[in-house]
Amino acid sequence: MSETEEMSRDETVKAVLDSVLSLVPFEGWSERALIEAAEENDLSRQQVLALFPRGIQDVVRVLNQRFDDEMLAACPAEELEDMKVRERIATLVRTRLMVMEPHRDALKQGLSYFALPGNVTEGFHTLYDTLDRIWVAAGDRSNDYNFYSKRMLLAGVYSSTLLYWLEDGSEGYEKSWAFLDRRIANVLRVGGSLGKGVKCLNEFSKGLKVFSPFQFVMPRR
């Protein structure tokens, strides 16, 4: 594929994603929303499925990656390097929520989408992708039990803050950021004891030659 063709494809994908986001508040995260988005951009059903072979599931996945990319672009490494780890995490989570801020109605619909039995696994993968990119951006290079415990702890912080933020009407979302700071502080208090417990559990699992219970949090293939 030539550079021009690749650019054209990227522009088409972006246009479809933007159309889906505008339709979701009315159609939900549905195949109908994707087909209507295709029609808005003069694409056939076959053409849009060539871009998103799994339909709306791929739309959700690509959108999540786009929001992650925007978060990282807004938080360059040189701006994070002088911060403490907890400040880096707080900054990245706040930024991740704010890049989604124009699409809060669509995000609320997403809660119902991921609650459907067939979408739960996809929801875990999507959450993991974001947690992993946040931790890597924050400087995490662990490859032992800490890798899993950090992402598990951040899953609680990020998910609870997202739910709070979606209903927050305070100016500048100041209540959400205070809530985020409290959640991070709570995690720091329990993180040490939890980390020790995770390490013991992982070592026990290795002794039995079975998978660690935290191996489920893995990148999708």
Side-chain angles (χ1 to χ4, degrees):
M1 181 180 294
S2 70
E3 184 176 341
T4 301
E5 289 173 327
E6 183 65 30
M7 184 179 300
S8 177
R9 182 185 183 281
D10 290 345
E11 291 172 351
T12 302
V13 167
K14 183 181 184 303
V16 172
L17 294 178
D18 289 341
S19 293
V20 169
L21 283 170
S22 70
L23 291 164
V24 164
F26 310 101
E27 301 292 351
W29 291 94
S30 64
E31 299 304 317
R32 180 179 177 83
L34 178 56
I35 297 306
E36 288 188 21
E39 293 173 353
E40 285 187 2
N41 291 279
D42 299 321
L43 298 173
S44 68
R45 183 186 183 92
Q46 290 71 28
Q47 287 174 314
V48 80
L49 288 178
L51 297 173
F52 306 101
R54 296 186 307 152
I56 200 67
Q57 279 195 342
D58 275 344
V59 170
V60 171
R61 180 178 181 179
V62 175
L63 269 173
N64 192 67
Q65 292 171 343
R66 187 173 94 175
F67 291 147
D68 286 343
D69 290 343
E70 291 176 3
M71 168 190 70
L72 297 179
C75 297
E78 57 270 20
E79 291 186 8
L80 297 174
E81 62 184 0
D82 292 331
M83 299 181 185
K84 296 179 180 178
V85 173
R86 64 179 294 173
E87 294 170 340
R88 295 176 191 174
I89 294 296
T91 297
L92 288 159
V93 171
R94 284 197 301 269
T95 303
R96 181 59 163 78
L97 296 181
M98 289 308 295
V99 299
M100 300 187 294
E101 199 258 352
H103 314 295
R104 292 178 84 203
D105 289 340
L107 294 176
K108 290 178 181 179
Q109 292 278 355
L111 299 179
S112 300
Y113 172 80
F114 284 126
L116 295 173
N119 298 330
V120 172
T121 300
E122 186 70 15
F124 279 126
H125 280 307
T126 299
L127 176 61
Y128 169 84
D129 290 345
T130 296
L131 301 178
D132 188 56
R133 295 189 76 178
I134 289 174
W135 266 116
V136 171
D140 179 49
R141 300 295 181 267
S142 61
N143 56 14
D144 57 1
Y145 75 94
N146 281 303
F147 179 93
Y148 300 105
S149 60
K150 286 177 178 178
R151 283 149 183 80
M152 186 174 70
L153 289 168
L154 182 56
V157 171
Y158 179 84
S159 299
S160 60
T161 304
L162 170 62
L163 292 174
Y164 191 100
W165 174 78
L166 284 173
E167 300 300 328
D168 185 8
S170 64
E171 184 176 356
Y173 303 110
E174 58 184 16
K175 290 184 178 180
S176 292
W177 309 147
F179 177 86
L180 171 61
D181 290 340
R182 291 195 300 272
R183 293 292 289 117
I184 291 176
N186 289 340
V187 162
L188 289 175
R189 282 198 293 271
V190 305
S193 58
L194 178 59
K196 292 177 183 177
V198 173
K199 182 178 181 180
C200 292
L201 202 50
N202 276 355
E203 291 301 320
F204 179 71
S205 297
K206 290 177 184 176
L208 294 178
K209 297 183 179 180
V210 298
F211 288 112
S212 160
F214 296 101
Q215 295 280 345
F216 79 95
V217 191
M218 293 294 289
R220 56 185 127 203
R221 301 295 181 186

